[in-house]
Amino acid sequence: MSHKKSSVVTGDVESLRRRSAADNQDNYADPEQHHRFPRRHSHTDRLCVGSQHPELGTAETPSPDASSHHFCQYTPKCFLTVHRGAHGTSARSTPSIYTEEGWEEGASKTTIRAENEVEAHREANNYRFGFRKWKANLTEKPIEDRSDIVKELYSDLSIVKPQQGSIITFGNIIYVFLFGWWVSLIYIIMCPLMFLTIFGAPYGRLCLKMAWYFIWPFGKSVEKAGDVVKRSIVKPPKCEVIPEERDSEDNNDLVRNKDCAPLLMSSPIPVEIPVPELPARNISKHWCRISTFIWLLLGYPVLAMVHALACALSWLLVFTIPVSKMNARTLSIVLLMAPEDVQIHTLEKARGCETRVILCCYQAFNVYYYKYTIQGINIFALNLLPLVLMTLIIGYTDHEHNHLSSETKFVMAIISIIPLSYYIGMGIASFSAQSNFAVGAVVNATFGSITEMTFYITALLQGQRAGTKCYEEIVKAALTGTLLGCILFIPGICMIIGGIKHREQRFNSRSAGVSSALLFISIGGVFAPTLFSKTFGNLVCESCTNIPGNTSVPFICKDCHYDTSQTDPHLILSHIEALVYTISVLLPAAYLIGLIFTLKTHSHIYDIHISDGQGGHAHGHHVVHWSRWRALGVLIVATVLMACCADLSTENIEPILNNSSISQYFIGVTVLAMVPELPEIVNGILFAVQNNISLSLEVGSCIAVQVCMIQIPLLILFNAFYDVGFVLVFSDIHLWASIFSVILVNYIFMDGKCDYFQGTALVVVYLILLSLYYFAPPPRSC
C-alpha cells in the first residue's frame, strides 16, 4: 500500500508569486529599451537536442557566458519558435526596426510545443524549403496526455463509465440495420440446434442471451458471475505544485523566507486511497464437459465466422470500429466462457463509479475514429493495404480479364497509389526527423518525387511498346494537372477551410515570395521550348475547305498546330534538343540555389528556433513509431509496390483512352495528377485547421517546384539514356493555363493574409480550367 503526501508552505507560495510578478514587470516595463536594443537573430537554424538520443548524436551545449541566443538546453517539453507574418497564434510581436542595412520587417513569434527532439526535428523540417510537410506525430504519445476523445478511441470496451446522454442515437439505430439484426438472427437459429443436442442446452440458453444482447447492446453489460470489480473515482486533494527555482538569487530569497517561517506547523495529512484486490482466479472446469465439446464442434465455428465477418466489415468502415471491438471481444472471451458465468445486465443511468466488466458498449458510431492510428499508421492507410495486395495479385494473374475488366483494374491500381503515397510520406518524415540535415535533404529530394516519377516512366515505356504518342500527351497532362492542383486547388481549399474556422489567417509573405519566384522560374524554364517551337515552327492545318472561283465563301481550316518537323530538319536536333538539355541543367541548379538561400544564407526568413520550456529536468523517454532502418525499409518496399501499381494503371488505361467520351486531357489533369497527392492535400487541410496557413501554402508550392525543377529534368535525363520519344513541348492549353495560374497565385500571396473568399477564387478558377479540359477535343495522337 502506497501513500501519497503533498504539502504546500503558504509563505513560500506568496513569496514566489510576488517575485514572479516583479520579474514580469521588469521584463516588459520598458518597451522603448526593447526598441533600442533589438534581438539579433542567428542566421543559421539551431537545434538543441538531448544527449541521450543515440541516433541524432550529442549536441554541444555552450557555456552560460555565451550570448543568450546561443545558449539553450533540451528538456522533455520543447517549443518550436517560428517567426512569421502571422499574429493569430503569436506569443510576442516585434515592430519594424530600422538599421544601417535598411528596414527589417517585423515578425511575430509563434511557439509550437514539441514533446521530444524527434517531434522538434519534424516541426523544424516542416518549415524548411524542399522538405515534405508532415502533420502526424512520429513518436508514441502517452495515453494519459491525450484528450478524453482520443482516450475513448483506444478503449477496450471493458469499463462501465457514468452514462452521459441518451443511447438512442442515429449511429446506434444504423447499427441495428447493418449488423444487429443478422447477428442476432444467427444466435436465434443456433439456439434450437443446441437444445436438440440435449447436452448443449446450457449453450442454447447462452445463445438466447446473446441474441437479446446483440439486437441492441447499448446500455447493457456482459459480466462474469461473481467477478465484478468496482473502482471508485477518487480525486486526490487539490494542491499547488511550485516548480523548482534554479536561479541562485531566487534560492537565497527562498531560504530567507524559510528562516522567517514559523517553527510549529501542522504536518500534511496523508490520504490513503484503498484499491480493491482482484479475486483469485479459479481454473474453470467447463472445458471437460460434454456440452463444451458439442459447443466447440457445432456452435462456436459458425458464430466465429459470423463475428469475424462483422468484425472485418465494421473495421473497414472505420467509424464503426466500436462494433468491431465488441465482436472481437465476444469471439475471444465471451463465447469461450462457461455459459452459466455469462450474465447480461441493463446499466443504471445513475451509476457513480467505474466498473470493470467483460463487455460494455455505449455507441456503435464515433466520428473521431479518423484519428485512430496503429503504430503511427492512420486507420485509412492501414485498411487500404489489402486492396494493394488484391490489385497486384489480380493484375498480374488475370491477363485475359476473365474476372475483372480493364477499367476496374485501372481504378483499383489508382486507389492503391493513395496508401502507398502515405507510407512514402511517413517514411520520409520519420527518416528525416532522426537524421541530420544533409541526409534528410537527400532523402526528400529522391523519395519525395518517387510517386509521380514511377507513373510517368511506366506510362512512357507503355507508349513506346504500343507505338503511340498518346501516353506522352497523358504524361504532359498529368504534369500540368499537378502544377494546377498544387498552385490553385491545394492553397484554395486550405484557405476556405481555414478561413471558415479562423476568419482571417496570416502567413509569412517573405517565404511565400521566395516560393512564387521559384514558381516563375520553373514555369519559364519548362515552357521555354514550347514558346520556341511556336516562334520558329510552321503552322500546319490538317484539312482546309474552299470553293474555287467563289471568293464569298470563307477559307476554313481545321486542326491547325505548330509543327517543327516540317521546317528545317536540323531544327529539333540542333536547337530544341539543345535548349531542353540546357533547361534540364538550369532548373536543378536554380532549385539548389533556392535551398542554399532559404536554409543557409537567408534562413532568418523562416527563423526557426527550438527553445525549451523549463530548464533542468531530466530527459524523458519517447518511443519512435518507425526507426530509421524501418522507415528506410518501408520506403523501399512502398516504392517497389508503387512501381507495380503504376505499371498496372498504365497497362489498363488504354480502353479508357480509346473508348471514353471524356477528353484524355481531363483524365490526365484530374485522376492521374491529383490522386497521388491526396495525402498532401489532407496534411495541408490539417495545418489550415490549426491556423498554420503558412505550411498549408508551402505544401502546394513545394510540390509544384519539385515537379518543374526535379521531376521534369529527371524525365529528360531518362529520355537521354533510354529514348522513349519524350519532347518537352506542351500544348497551348497547358501553356496558358499554367502561366495564368502562377500570375493569379502571386497576386493572392502579395499581402501576406488570406480568407475563405480568396480561397474560393482559387478553387473557382481551378474548376473553370478543369471545365476547359473536359470539353477540349482529344489530342491528335490519341
Side-chain angles (χ1 to χ4, degrees):
M1 187 70 67
S2 62
H3 300 279
K4 297 182 179 179
K5 300 180 180 181
S6 63
S7 63
V8 177
V9 181
T10 308
D12 296 343
V13 174
E14 296 299 330
S15 175
L16 290 175
R17 286 177 177 174
R18 288 195 298 268
R19 185 164 59 255
S20 176
D23 292 341
N24 292 334
Q25 293 177 0
D26 294 340
N27 291 335
Y28 299 100
D30 190 7
E32 295 180 358
Q33 183 178 0
H34 178 70
H35 286 282
R36 291 195 302 268
F37 299 95
R39 179 177 179 268
R40 302 288 296 183
H41 298 293
S42 176
H43 292 283
T44 58
D45 299 341
R46 183 170 296 273
L47 280 174
C48 304
V49 300
S51 59
Q52 299 183 10
H53 197 284
E55 297 175 348
L56 294 177
T58 303
E60 297 181 359
T61 303
S63 63
D65 297 332
S67 57
S68 59
H69 64 279
H70 287 287
F71 177 72
C72 54
Q73 181 179 2
Y74 176 77
T75 59
K77 303 298 183 182
C78 296
F79 293 88
L80 174 62
T81 305
V82 184
H83 290 261
R84 303 181 299 169
H87 69 279
T89 59
S90 62
R92 187 184 306 171
S93 60
T94 57
S96 299
I97 303 170
Y98 184 77
T99 61
E100 296 178 357
E101 300 176 357
W103 285 96
E104 296 180 2
E105 181 182 0
S108 57
K109 180 182 295 185
T110 301
T111 302
I112 301 176
R113 177 182 175 183
E115 296 295 332
N116 48 69
E117 66 268 26
V118 175
E119 296 297 340
H121 274 269
R122 177 185 63 82
E123 293 286 356
N125 290 339
N126 284 340
Y127 287 91
R128 286 172 174 166
F129 174 77
F131 281 68
R132 174 163 291 198
K133 322 304 176 189
W134 194 254
K135 179 64 180 67
N137 289 335
L138 303 179
T139 57
E140 185 70 27
K141 190 175 182 180
I143 192 65
E144 297 83 8
D145 298 339
R146 301 190 180 186
S147 62
D148 293 336
I149 295 177
V150 178
K151 290 179 182 178
E152 183 67 24
L153 302 181
Y154 295 92
S155 172
D156 60 352
L157 305 183
S158 63
I159 297 179
V160 179
K161 298 180 180 180
Q163 183 176 342
Q164 298 178 355
S166 175
I167 59 175
I168 303 178
T169 61
F170 177 76
N172 293 349
I173 295 175
I174 293 297
Y175 159 83
V176 177
F177 292 98
L178 291 181
F179 303 99
W181 69 271
W182 58 272
V183 174
S184 180
L185 180 62
I186 298 298
Y187 273 105
I188 293 176
I189 295 174
M190 293 300 302
C191 177
L193 178 63
M194 298 307 299
F195 274 108
L196 288 177
T197 61
I198 300 176
F199 291 102
Y203 286 97
R205 290 188 290 270
L206 175 63
C207 290
L208 280 178
K209 294 180 183 179
M210 300 307 294
W212 174 72
Y213 175 79
F214 271 98
I215 193 65
W216 186 264
F218 315 107
K220 303 175 184 176
S221 65
V222 179
E223 306 176 16
K224 185 177 181 180
D227 191 16
V228 179
V229 179
K230 294 185 177 181
R231 299 187 305 170
S232 300
I233 305 175
V234 181
K235 296 184 179 180
K238 295 183 179 180
C239 60
E240 188 174 0
V241 179
I242 305 301
E244 180 183 357
E245 298 289 344
R246 299 197 173 270
D247 188 80
S248 60
E249 183 178 354
D250 293 343
N251 288 334
N252 295 331
D253 294 340
L254 187 59
V255 171
R256 287 193 297 267
N257 290 332
K258 287 185 177 181
D259 293 338
C260 299
L263 297 178
L264 298 178
M265 293 183 62
S266 59
S267 59
I269 301 175
V271 179
E272 297 182 0
I273 303 177
V275 179
E277 296 182 357
L278 294 175
R281 290 188 177 182
N282 298 323
I283 300 177
S284 178
K285 298 181 180 180
H286 77 281
W287 294 104
C288 302
R289 302 173 187 170
I290 299 178
S291 60
T292 303
F293 289 103
I294 296 175
W295 170 252
L296 295 178
L297 182 65
L298 299 178
Y300 185 79
V302 177
L303 294 174
M305 290 188 294
V306 171
H307 284 294
L309 178 61
C311 183
L313 292 178
S314 56
W315 183 272
L316 292 176
L317 294 177
V318 176
F319 301 106
T320 56
I321 287 182
V323 180
S324 178
K325 293 181 179 180
M326 181 172 57
N327 282 272
R329 199 164 181 83
T330 301
L331 180 62
S332 60
I333 298 179
V334 177
L335 297 183
L336 297 178
M337 294 170 54
E340 64 273 10
D341 288 343
V342 178
Q343 295 184 358
I344 299 177
H345 301 285
T346 302
L347 300 176
E348 301 176 358
K349 292 185 177 181
R351 182 186 293 265
C353 62
E354 291 185 357
T355 305
R356 182 171 293 276
V357 295
I358 302 297
L359 181 61
C360 176
C361 184
Y362 289 101
Q363 55 181 358
F365 186 89
N366 192 339
V367 71
Y368 292 101
Y369 264 99
Y370 71 91
K371 299 181 179 181
Y372 194 73
T373 59
I374 298 178
Q375 290 294 317
I377 305 173
N378 187 268
I379 183 63
F380 289 102
L382 191 66
N383 284 352
L384 288 177
L385 272 183
L387 178 63
V388 177
L389 300 178
M390 188 185 306
T391 300
L392 296 178
I393 294 174
I394 296 178
Y396 285 107
T397 56
D398 186 20
H399 296 285
E400 302 297 330
H401 309 295
N402 297 323
H403 300 90
L404 295 176
S405 62
S406 297
E407 292 81 1
T408 305
K409 293 180 181 178
F410 171 76
V411 173
M412 292 176 61
I414 289 295
I415 297 177
S416 299
I417 292 177
I418 299 175
L420 295 177
S421 179
Y422 173 88
Y423 288 112
I424 290 176
M426 185 173 179
I428 292 174
S430 299
F431 194 90
S432 301
Q434 301 175 74
S435 306
N436 55 36
F437 167 73
V439 175
V442 172
V443 170
N444 277 270
T446 53
F447 288 96
S449 302
I450 201 69
T451 303
E452 297 84 359
M453 289 299 302
T454 52
F455 172 77
Y456 299 151
I457 292 176
T458 53
L460 292 175
L461 292 175
Q462 182 68 23
Q464 185 192 33
R465 290 193 295 264
T468 176
K469 284 284 188 179
C470 185
Y471 287 88
E472 181 185 356
E473 293 297 329
I474 293 298
V475 170
K476 294 177 182 178
L479 287 169
T480 308
T482 305
L483 284 176
L484 298 180
C486 295
I487 294 174
L488 297 176
F489 180 74
I490 294 181
I493 196 67
C494 293
M495 288 181 184
I496 292 175
I497 297 178
I500 292 176
K501 184 176 181 180
H502 301 288
R503 189 176 179 85
E504 183 179 85
Q505 296 178 293
R506 294 180 179 270
F507 54 89
N508 192 340
S509 59
R510 284 290 301 276
S511 62
V514 173
S515 301
S516 299
L518 289 174
L519 282 176
F520 270 112
I521 298 173
S522 304
I523 297 300
V526 168
F527 291 100
T530 304
L531 296 174
F532 184 88
S533 66
K534 294 185 180 304
T535 303
F536 299 101
N538 288 336
L539 184 63
V540 179
C541 299
E542 297 294 335
S543 59
C544 297
T545 58
N546 186 22
I547 299 177
N550 189 356
T551 58
S552 61
V553 178
F555 188 78
I556 302 175
C557 294
K558 298 181 179 180
D559 196 12
C560 297
H561 60 278
Y562 287 94
D563 189 4
T564 56
S565 61
Q566 302 297 327
T567 57
D568 185 3
H570 300 286
L571 181 62
I572 295 180
L573 295 178
S574 61
H575 295 283
I576 294 183
E577 188 174 4
L579 176 62
V580 169
Y581 290 149
T582 303
I583 291 172
S584 65
V585 174
L586 293 177
L587 288 179
Y591 184 80
L592 182 61
I593 293 174
L595 287 176
I596 297 174
F597 178 82
T598 56
L599 301 179
K600 187 67 177 177
T601 61
H602 288 68
S603 59
H604 61 276
I605 293 177
Y606 299 90
D607 208 355
I608 304 171
H609 295 276
I610 304 293
S611 61
D612 56 356
Q614 295 177 357
H617 290 283
H619 182 274
H621 179 68
H622 59 273
V623 179
V624 182
H625 290 307
W626 292 1
S627 63
R628 283 193 298 178
W629 290 110
R630 182 180 180 183
L632 183 61
V634 170
L635 282 175
I636 296 174
V637 173
T639 300
V640 174
L641 296 180
M642 178 74 71
C644 296
C645 292
D647 179 64
L648 291 176
S649 63
T650 55
E651 181 181 348
N652 295 280
I653 198 178
E654 184 176 0
I656 299 177
L657 298 179
N658 297 331
N659 303 325
S660 177
S661 58
I662 303 175
S663 174
Q664 289 80 0
Y665 284 133
F666 183 79
I667 297 175
V669 299
T670 54
V671 178
L672 303 182
M674 295 307 296
V675 169
E677 308 300 339
L678 281 180
E680 302 296 332
I681 296 175
V682 173
N683 281 329
I685 292 175
L686 293 178
F687 284 129
V689 169
Q690 292 189 350
N691 201 19
N692 198 346
I693 195 64
S694 294
L695 290 184
S696 300
L697 303 181
E698 289 293 333
V699 167
S701 299
C702 181
I703 299 175
V705 170
Q706 285 186 348
V707 167
C708 296
M709 294 189 170
I710 294 181
Q711 296 177 16
I712 291 180
L714 286 178
L715 287 177
I716 297 172
L717 181 64
F718 176 78
N719 185 78
F721 287 96
Y722 190 85
D723 189 9
V724 291
F726 180 75
V727 181
L728 197 63
V729 177
F730 291 82
S731 302
D732 292 353
I733 187 173
H734 300 325
L735 172 65
W736 302 119
S738 300
I739 293 177
F740 175 72
S741 300
V742 173
I743 294 175
L744 177 62
V745 168
N746 187 65
Y747 174 76
I748 294 292
F749 287 177
M750 280 174 33
D751 57 353
K753 58 184 178 180
C754 62
D755 48 41
Y756 73 90
F757 176 75
Q758 293 177 336
T760 304
L762 294 178
V763 173
V764 168
V765 171
Y766 178 73
L767 296 178
I768 291 174
L769 293 178
L770 289 188
S771 303
L772 190 66
Y773 281 105
Y774 182 84
F775 294 104
R780 295 184 302 274
S781 56
C782 295

